[in-house]
Amino acid sequence: MNTLPVQSIRMIEPIHSALENHHNVPVVMISRRRFESGIQNSNRHLTYHQFIHRMLPNQERYAGDYMNEAISSVYPREATISAAHFANLFRSHLNGNTEILRHFDSHTVAEFVQKYKTALRQKTEVSAPIDFEDFFVMGAQYLSRSTSRVSSRVLFIPDYEILLERPELNRNAIQFIESLIKWCVAHNRPVYTLHGNTVQCHRHAGRVVYDVNNFV
């Protein structure tokens, strides 16, 4: 669900590199879900929620904050991988990826999951976070204000097309992304989306479509 096909994921790092070379500035890629994109700098690949969290002037606590804290609480200090790498593997494991089993046995991972669920439940019982879907709406509403600001100078959104395949399920996420694209166009910020084998740049005059093979 809302997952890019493998062939699209393989194209992401070359496209991202080409965009950075072309614009000569950092390009931030945002996606609905986290996955191994090949982009080395973690600040250049954010989830929609991470991007919204950084964008909003008031640092509202949303469900992802609680998840990050719960994941951090189960990180084994004796691990041979960094806390950041563990967090990425653990999030991916919650979405069905099994790569974490290369570093820990299945029994240990099951214990991680149980401790994580307990920690998350304790945190949410103390203070309920903002729901994921509500956070999309907050992001879209913020972008509609005349005082809204986005720090990223160039954006790449590879999974917009995937959202559009299930409009009812992804209504709030689509609303946020369309608001973001509209904001970028109005402020002359380059914003790119991936559609099959094409990269599309959104501009005032409409979309400019590039073939992926020629683009990279």
Side-chain angles (χ1 to χ4, degrees), residues 64-213:
D65 291 328
Y66 287 55
M67 290 175 66
N68 291 338
E69 292 172 4
I71 292 172
S72 179
S73 72
V74 303
Y75 169 67
R77 304 305 168 186
E78 71 279 5
T80 57
I81 59 176
S82 68
H85 189 195
F86 174 82
N88 286 335
L89 290 174
F90 192 82
R91 290 191 201 96
S92 296
H93 178 71
L94 294 176
N95 289 324
N97 186 291
T98 60
E99 188 178 351
I100 195 171
L101 295 176
R102 297 180 181 178
H103 302 274
F104 307 96
D105 61 57
S106 58
H107 177 73
T108 301
V109 172
E111 288 184 343
F112 290 158
V113 172
Q114 187 57 48
K115 290 178 181 178
Y116 160 79
K117 290 180 177 179
T118 300
L120 187 61
R121 184 175 62 253
Q122 291 172 344
K123 291 178 181 296
T124 55
E125 285 175 350
V126 173
S127 176
I130 297 171
D131 179 77
F132 278 109
E133 293 297 319
D134 291 340
F135 217 58
F136 288 137
V137 176
M138 290 176 62
Q141 290 174 341
Y142 172 73
L143 289 166
S144 68
R145 301 176 191 171
S146 59
T147 56
S148 59
R149 298 182 62 184
V150 173
S151 60
S152 306
R153 294 174 61 185
V154 182
L155 286 174
F156 175 36
I157 310 170
D159 57 356
Y160 177 44
E161 182 183 38
I162 302 298
L163 298 182
L164 296 177
E165 293 176 357
R166 307 185 72 177
E168 293 184 1
L169 179 66
N170 298 311
R171 181 177 64 255
N172 293 330
I174 291 171
Q175 178 189 4
F176 164 65
I177 292 301
E178 290 182 344
S179 297
L180 180 58
I181 291 173
K182 182 179 179 180
W183 188 97
C184 289
V185 170
H187 291 80
N188 294 314
R189 299 282 184 89
V191 55
Y192 296 84
T193 54
L194 179 63
H195 297 263
N197 288 319
T198 66
V199 176
Q200 301 188 10
C201 179
H202 300 256
R203 298 177 178 175
H204 278 289
R207 301 183 186 186
V208 179
V209 180
Y210 302 93
D211 182 87
V212 168
N213 295 323

Side-chain angles (χ1 to χ4, degrees), residues 4 8-16 29 35 37 156 158:
L4 280 165
S8 296
I9 293 176
R10 289 173 179 166
M11 293 189 290
I12 284 175
E13 196 282 327
I15 292 172
H16 183 266
M29 185 185 83
F35 55 85
S37 62
F156 175 36

